[in-house]
Structures are given as C-alpha cells and as structure tokens.
Amino acid sequence: EVGGEMLFGKRIGFSGTPSDLLPQALGRCGYEEGSDGKMLSVLTDPDVVGWAAMANGWTVESLLTTVAAFEPRVNALIDTGALITGLNNLQVAQFLLRVPAFSAWCEGVVF
C-alpha cells in the first residue's frame, strides 16, 4: 500500500477535503483548527473571488476561454459546480495554455 510503512517510515500529506477516509496505515486525519473558517473567508472575499455571467448556450470551451481572458487575471480555477465536464485535468490545462490571452502571461498550469 502506497501510504504504508513499507515504502516510507514517516508520511505527511495535505488534502483540501477534510476526511478520515485515509489508508489505515496513515492513522486519523489531524485537522488544523480554524482552517475551514480561513478557507471560507478567502473564498467569499470579493477582493479574491470573481465571477462572470455566461450567455445561454455556453460550452465548456467558451467557459474556459472566458476564465482564461478574465480581468483581473485568474490565478486559480475552482470548479465547485462541476461545470467542466468531458475534459480531464490535463486537457483543461492544455486548453487554457492555448488561449492567447492566458498563454501571454501564464507559463504553466498545476492541477
């Protein structure tokens, strides 16, 4: 098992999703007090989060193009509504890097 002691004597990790659904060898998840509140504060701060209304008939590609050309620049895309369908993470990254307004300043995408 990848999370077990056989490969590594000491293991640490991070997940943005608080859950105890971990390999048994990792033990219980240690939650940082206040993390959920900090995350909610950032994700609801209008100085950090932006939005755009999409026209009827939007597609995944038109949504990604809008995000890629958004001003101010987008530094993170969090698809909380699971709107980006039919593409895996690599395909989304490749698409974004092909949008001229995005690739003019962005050198890479991490997912």
Side-chain angles (χ1 to χ4, degrees), residues 6-96:
M6 187 166 68
L7 294 178
F8 305 100
K10 187 173 192 174
R11 287 118 18 234
I12 59 171
F14 170 80
S15 171
T17 305
S19 172
D20 280 325
L21 295 175
L22 300 170
Q24 197 169 27
L26 290 177
R28 292 192 48 93
C29 185
Y31 300 101
E32 179 185 32
E33 190 173 324
S35 289
D36 288 344
K38 289 177 190 174
M39 177 193 63
L40 286 173
S41 176
V42 169
L43 292 178
T44 57
D45 182 344
D47 291 332
V48 176
V49 178
W51 64 275
M54 298 296 295
N56 289 336
W58 63 269
T59 64
V60 169
E61 290 79 9
S62 67
L63 174 66
L64 290 173
T65 301
T66 299
V67 168
F70 203 78
E71 287 293 335
R73 293 178 179 160
V74 171
N75 293 306
L77 170 60
I78 304 172
D79 184 15
T80 58
L83 299 175
I84 301 171
T85 58
L87 299 176
N88 62 36
N89 289 339
L90 177 60
Q91 291 168 321
V92 169
Q94 290 170 332
F95 182 91
L96 289 170

